[in-house]
Amino acid sequence: MNLVFALLFYAATLILVGGVAYRIYEYARVPAPLKIPTTPAPTTTGGVVFRMFREVLFFESLFKSNLWIWALGWLFHVGLALVLLRHVRYFTEPVNFIIAFIQPFGMYAGFAMAAGLAGLWARRFLVERIRYISTPSDHLMLALLLGIAFTGLAMKFLMHTDVVAVKTFFLGLMVFEIHPLPAHPGLYLHLGMVALLMIVFPLSKLLHAPGVFFSPTRNQVDNPRETRHLAPWAAQLDSKN
Amino acid sequence: MADETTPVAVAPAPTSSPAVAKSAAPAKPKVEAPAYREFPTIPALQPDAMTGSNPFVAAAAHNEAIGFPGALLDGWEQKAVAKMGELLGKYRSLRVYMDACVHCGACTDKCHYFIGTGDPKNMPVARQDLMRSVYRRYYTLPGKLFPKLVGARDMTKDVLDDWFRYYNQCSECRRCSVFCPYGIDTAEVTMAAKEIMHTVGHGHKYVNEIIGKVHKIGNNLGLPGPALENTLEGLEEDVLEDTGAAVKYPLDMQGAEVLLVTPSADFFAEPHVDSLIGYGKVFHAAGISWTLSSKASEAGNFGMFIGNYEQMQKIAMRVREAALELGVKRIVVGECGHAWRVAYAFWNTLTGIGAGAGVGKPDPFAIQLQKQLDPNYKQPSHICEVTWDLIQAGRLKFDKAANDHRIVTFHDSCNVARGSRMGDYAGGQFDIPRNIIRAVANHYVDMSEATTREKTFCCGGGGGLLTDELLDLRVKGALPRMEALKQVADQHGVNFMATICAICKAQFTKVLPYYGFKMSMVGGVHQLVSTAIVLNNEQ
Ligand code: HEM
Ligand code: SF4
Ligand code: SF4
Ligand code: SF4
């Protein structure tokens, strides 16, 4: 089992990092031939950075469009972010003091995350419009994340596992050594689902995370009067004229 | 016949607001206006409510005239999928938007066509999914392996029919993009879908016919030069008679300071022509010499509606040529929504009109034009910017009381609101037209804030849908705007809705009667200017 999980995590990390890097490369390489910011849009680069900051940290547009989705989605993502930060302690020794500081918040964040996910999932059943657009994969994604959250919380509050051994296992992986993982069904489930999440990340709608930074309607400066914006393929058309 | 092609069609429609109108074309389904909703609740889904909407497929001649195959090609399925791949490599918007949507549903209730029809495929995300399902099937691993799981579909005739139907129920107004957490712009997807359909020989008749006319005759209405000249002379006589001032409406006047490019509906259709009269009065009062051009007698650029860069560029090029030939110092664009988006946001890119012509391969014509233009106005200006600048400089005088019979509101045209700007700060496109109205009229009321500025609802006729076979859709799509108008009409007695888009004007004249309003209730901002402006009457 130790070897299986070791290999699984090596593979998952490769796919996640390689896959997302490749997607980012693609998004960056494909040009945006026209100026299409959704106006009113910032007229300076600084303004665009600020707009993006508000979108990524506070989901500003979503706030304007639907308070329910915003509240549930924000709860989930902030919970997720804190939980992820809390997990950094499994990969570093000594533990950074910021990571140590957020440990207690991270614990509640797990509940926040689960609550947010449950609310979002409920919408997929209860709201007719959202039921209509949901595909099986939308449900599975939420099930997967909720599964991760539940098994994680269960290990914290119901059936403890040897977290010191878990930490030894992951620190070991980072220097290509395989240490024993506690034989704990909850842990196996938790880690298995995390690896699955990492694998599907670059193949699924989770690409919204890198995608948001590349959305031309949000990341373009509204300055078509000042500078000529020309994509390489469009410049070639020009020379034919 | 389509509104844009026959000026007369802009006129009569039943005035008494019957729910069902007599159909003009033989095979046309009935046109029904939805009832006003007491509270603007989100409609319940009515699956397939609009599957009966059948835009006319373009004939071979119309497709071929603008360089597309005449009819649906053999093996079109593969060709369509290949074209999609090409576009995914050319447009970052499409590339990112195909992946990024999380099906959160925030956009589902934001589209006026969904609100008016209840058809779930008119929810922006569902409209995108018509293409995303095909994208997933051919361009993603999960879609290749587990199509059912991720909602992937093969490219089949049924899918194509759905595309043709529902991508021709999107006015490319970008309201959905305002509300999406990633700014996903369904208009970009619609344009890509239309380009793919054109490439395989499945174009929309209305739009293709019009693009053909622009190239052949110079404008969307197909008005030849001599007819223009006649009309303009007629206008001069009318204005002289009305005001005693010899306002000129010049055509192809060499060496004029300003070239005005305006939608061709301004020459003929009501109420458009009243704004054209207004532009002329503004130039006259300010002592600015100006001209129209028979070559560029159309500001509209339907190339945008079909998402075709080459067409859009070709249509825009006429303006550069006309400006060079006439030797003007400044280019001004009249009241037209999508035309202003193209002029403001795209002309610099497409033709080098605007500062920065030096970027890319130096283009001698673009550089020549830069030298010719007044260094203060290298970029195109909107007629509202011109008028507002003159008002601020104290160069125009108004008798505001002349507009006292009107209680005015303003409809933000979506292409101006969400796709462009006026003035030198973000949001100037909202303030400048309102400032002008307040300067020329005493009674002004805004409609509900949920329906104005960047949240404005499309009139229901934009994006190349202003054609009779889609009238039912257009009437339904106007519902949210009509509700907002009804509110200010009931509460404040509003009796005039000003707008700065030729399509909005044509669309509203047609649909207002279905909602119990008079069609004369809509008009241009420069129609109000025209009413109030005080002209110096010396010859
Ligand atoms: C830059 C970072 C990110 C941003 C700005 C972001 C933003 C958003 C927004 C605005 C939504 C829509 C609202 C909602 O349904 O919650 C969303 C949905 C979602 N996000 Fe993220 N996200 C980010 C990173 C992540 C990551 C790292 C994951 C998971 C590993 C994730 C998983 C999800 C899921 C599963 C949904 C769909 C929820 C549903 O089905 O309703 N996100 N995200
Ligand atoms: S662009 Fe406008 S018409 Fe098209 S889906 Fe979005 S809101 Fe609807
Ligand atoms: S708001 Fe954006 S992400 Fe959400 S469903 Fe609509 S298009 Fe997709
Ligand atoms: S016609 Fe007017 S409101 Fe409608 S799409 Fe165009 S600009 Fe928008």
Side-chain angles (χ1 to χ4, degrees), chain A residues 88-147:
Chain A
V88 170
R89 71 185 164 140
Y90 290 106
F91 302 89
T92 53
E93 186 59 48
V95 173
N96 182 300
F97 90 96
I98 301 177
I99 303 299
F101 173 75
I102 63 161
Q103 290 305 315
F105 303 102
M107 237 160 61
Y108 297 110
F111 288 103
M113 176 179 157
L117 283 168
L120 288 170
W121 204 0
R123 284 184 63 83
R124 294 210 180 274
F125 292 102
L126 300 177
V127 181
E128 192 190 20
R129 286 168 289 127
I130 302 188
R131 196 175 343 135
Y132 179 90
I133 58 170
S134 297
T135 60
S137 55
D138 293 325
H139 289 283
L140 285 179
M141 187 64 75
L142 290 168
L144 183 62
L145 282 160
L146 259 179

Side-chain angles (χ1 to χ4, degrees), chain A residues 59 62 73 76-77 80 120 124 142 145 205-206 208-209, chain B residues 181-182:
Chain A
F59 302 177
L62 187 58
F76 154 54
H77 283 86
L80 177 70
L120 288 170
R124 294 210 180 274
L142 290 168
L145 282 160
K205 65 177 187 178
L206 296 183
H208 68 285
Chain B
Y182 321 113

Side-chain angles (χ1 to χ4, degrees), chain B residues 305-316:
Chain B
F305 294 156
I306 60 168
N308 186 279
Y309 192 97
E310 288 85 346
Q311 277 301 335
M312 196 156 72
Q313 185 169 42
K314 236 174 118 184
I315 296 172

Side-chain angles (χ1 to χ4, degrees), chain B residues 210-478:
Chain B
I210 282 185
I211 295 179
K213 268 186 225 154
V214 167
H215 291 314
K216 222 165 123 201
I217 307 173
N219 54 58
N220 290 359
L221 294 186
L223 307 170
L228 276 183
E229 219 163 311
N230 271 336
T231 316
L232 294 173
E233 273 167 25
L235 284 187
E236 288 176 358
E237 285 160 22
D238 291 349
V239 175
L240 184 63
E241 203 169 295
D242 277 4
T243 66
V247 179
K248 292 279 170 246
Y249 292 85
L251 185 66
D252 296 328
M253 187 171 85
Q254 200 67 36
E257 193 180 334
V258 166
L259 167 64
L260 180 82
V261 188
T262 204
S264 54
D266 282 5
F267 299 118
F268 267 105
E270 280 290 344
H272 306 62
V273 71
D274 294 313
S275 284
L276 175 60
I277 293 175
Y279 318 147
K281 288 184 184 172
V282 167
F283 288 127
H284 176 89
I288 297 172
S289 76
W290 68 292
T291 185
L292 294 152
S293 150
S294 52
K295 173 180 258 168
S297 52
E298 175 64 62
N301 191 328
F302 277 36
M304 183 177 97
F305 294 156
I306 60 168
N308 186 279
Y309 192 97
E310 288 85 346
Q311 277 301 335
M312 196 156 72
Q313 185 169 42
K314 236 174 118 184
I315 296 172
M317 228 30 121
R318 296 154 39 253
V319 177
R320 186 173 92 183
E321 282 162 25
L324 282 170
E325 279 168 22
L326 295 169
V328 297
K329 297 274 177 245
R330 184 177 185 185
I331 304 175
V332 174
V333 179
E335 296 182 354
C336 182
H338 78 282
W340 179 238
R341 181 177 182 202
V342 175
Y344 170 82
F346 303 159
W347 271 2
N348 202 353
T349 296
L350 296 171
T351 68
I353 300 178
V359 177
K361 185 174 159 287
D363 177 334
F365 296 103
I367 292 169
Q368 190 192 335
L369 183 62
Q370 286 311 303
K371 291 205 185 111
Q372 174 188 314
L373 293 176
D374 180 336
N376 292 320
Y377 300 113
K378 283 180 184 299
Q379 310 86 354
S381 313
H382 194 281
I383 184 72
C384 285
E385 292 176 310
V386 174
T387 302
W388 179 236
D389 282 349
L390 292 170
I391 292 176
Q392 281 178 304
R395 287 171 65 186
L396 301 179
K397 281 197 221 47
F398 299 104
D399 166 22
K400 289 171 83 164
N403 273 315
D404 273 354
H405 58 296
R406 291 173 171 143
I407 302 174
V408 183
T409 192
F410 181 68
H411 162 77
D412 290 281
S413 295
C414 43
N415 274 299
V416 177
R418 292 187 280 263
S420 74
R421 178 162 52 107
M422 285 181 208
D424 52 10
Y425 63 94
Q429 71 269 35
F430 307 129
D431 299 336
I432 289 178
R434 287 177 171 80
N435 291 346
I436 296 176
I437 298 174
R438 289 207 174 88
V440 304
N442 284 316
H443 310 295
Y444 178 78
V445 185
D446 253 323
M447 283 181 279
S448 155
E449 175 217 357
T451 73
T452 49
R453 302 170 69 95
E454 74 267 30
K455 294 184 187 155
T456 187
F457 278 104
C458 169
C459 60
L465 308 181
L466 192 75
T467 161
D468 266 5
E469 85 258 22
L470 298 178
L471 187 57
D472 184 45
L473 173 80
R474 288 164 47 194
V475 169
K476 291 184 161 76

Side-chain angles (χ1 to χ4, degrees), chain A residues 133, chain B residues 100-107 125 128 179-182 184:
Chain A
I133 58 170
Chain B
C101 172
V102 295
H103 279 181
C104 71
C107 60
V125 46
Q128 297 159 24
F179 292 101
C180 171
Y182 321 113
I184 295 179

Side-chain angles (χ1 to χ4, degrees), chain B residues 107 110-114 121-125 127-128 166 169-177 184-188 190 414 418 457-458 465:
Chain B
C107 60
K110 302 296 185 276
C111 175
H112 51 289
Y113 291 122
F114 172 67
K121 286 184 184 154
N122 278 329
M123 300 191 292
V125 46
R127 198 186 311 285
Q128 297 159 24
Y166 287 99
Q169 294 185 43
C170 169
S171 57
E172 304 174 355
C173 77
R174 312 178 93 213
R175 189 167 194 270
C176 43
S177 119
I184 295 179
D185 180 3
T186 315
E188 291 288 308
T190 296
C414 43
R418 292 187 280 263
F457 278 104
C458 169
L465 308 181

